[in-house]
Amino acid sequence: DTQDLQSTVDFISFSYYMTGCVSTDEAQLEKTRGNILNMVPNPYLESSEWGWQIDPLGLRYLLNFLYDRYQKPLFIVENGLGAKDKLEENGDIHDDYRIRYLNDHLVQVGEAIADGVEVLGYTCWGPIDLVSASKAEMSKRYGFIYVDRDDAGQGSLERRRKKSFYWYQSVIASHGKTLTR
């Protein structure tokens, strides 16, 4: 039927930050901090400063699950790590934790592609520091570019490239060959 073909999508886009667990045990019903969904923490996963659990393997699993189910190309439109970045005296920001997070997630995207998943693209949240949507804080930073602004709205708005900026630049230029497996 032609009408059915007009109603289909060409690809599926989604945001990925973490996986979740559920439990029927009342003692385990503690909600994972920083998350709007009712989930319990996975004791085997590391968490960010805001309680968001870090699960790169979960991204590979989700990519395979969605592709198997819908047989449509996938696009990861949002993924990243909120953290309190420290501005060094010389102006550098050494955000190795962000590099590790992104590296590990991108490696799993590569693994999913090797599994046969068609992935159209990946974008980070966000390229430049901005006010956190979940906490309305500037101190929860996501970007590759630091913005001089604090939670009270004070600062010069000067921008500085973080260590992750140069790392991500090399990942893009190398088509992922600089990722650490």
Side-chain angles (χ1 to χ4, degrees):
D1 184 328
T2 313
Q3 186 172 3
D4 288 341
L5 293 176
Q6 292 174 348
S7 300
T8 62
V9 297
D10 296 324
F11 65 93
I12 297 170
S13 60
F14 64 96
S15 300
Y16 177 83
Y17 287 96
M18 62 188 227
T19 54
C21 295
V22 295
S23 176
T24 58
D25 181 355
E26 292 292 326
Q28 294 292 320
L29 292 179
E30 172 192 338
K31 187 176 176 183
T32 301
R33 290 185 304 117
N35 186 7
I36 60 172
L37 303 174
N38 193 16
M39 297 187 290
V40 296
N42 182 333
Y44 302 102
L45 294 177
E46 183 184 343
S47 295
S48 74
E49 296 174 69
W50 279 268
W52 292 57
Q53 296 204 288
I54 300 169
D55 188 5
L57 288 172
L59 178 55
R60 179 182 181 185
Y61 174 85
L62 181 61
L63 285 164
N64 275 277
F65 175 82
L66 291 173
Y67 191 71
D68 182 56
R69 181 170 185 159
Y70 299 109
Q71 294 296 300
K72 295 286 182 183
L74 304 173
F75 197 115
I76 304 155
V77 294
E78 204 176 297
N79 176 248
L81 176 70
K84 289 185 179 179
D85 296 332
K86 181 182 176 209
L87 184 63
E88 302 292 333
E89 284 186 34
N90 67 356
D92 289 348
I93 299 104
H94 301 286
D95 56 341
D96 294 308
Y97 39 84
R98 181 169 294 106
I99 292 169
R100 186 176 65 249
Y101 176 96
L102 294 171
N103 180 85
D104 294 351
H105 281 77
L106 288 169
V107 164
Q108 292 306 314
V109 171
E111 293 295 325
I113 291 169
D115 294 339
V117 176
E118 189 177 354
V119 178
L120 294 177
Y122 172 92
T123 55
C124 292
W125 181 262
I128 189 168
D129 287 342
L130 60 144
V131 176
S132 167
S134 64
K135 295 289 185 180
E137 297 171 322
M138 206 49 207
S139 57
K140 185 178 184 182
R141 297 176 179 275
Y142 289 90
F144 302 119
I145 300 169
Y146 180 90
V147 178
D148 179 31
R149 184 66 98 187
D150 63 20
D151 289 341
Q154 303 298 310
S156 67
L157 296 177
E158 177 187 359
R159 274 89 164 142
R160 293 182 178 273
R161 294 173 180 159
K162 301 177 190 179
K163 184 176 180 182
S164 61
F165 175 94
Y166 300 104
W167 172 84
Y168 198 53
Q169 185 179 50
S170 74
V171 169
I172 292 168
S174 73
H175 300 281
K177 288 181 179 60
T178 58
L179 292 172
T180 307
R181 292 180 172 23

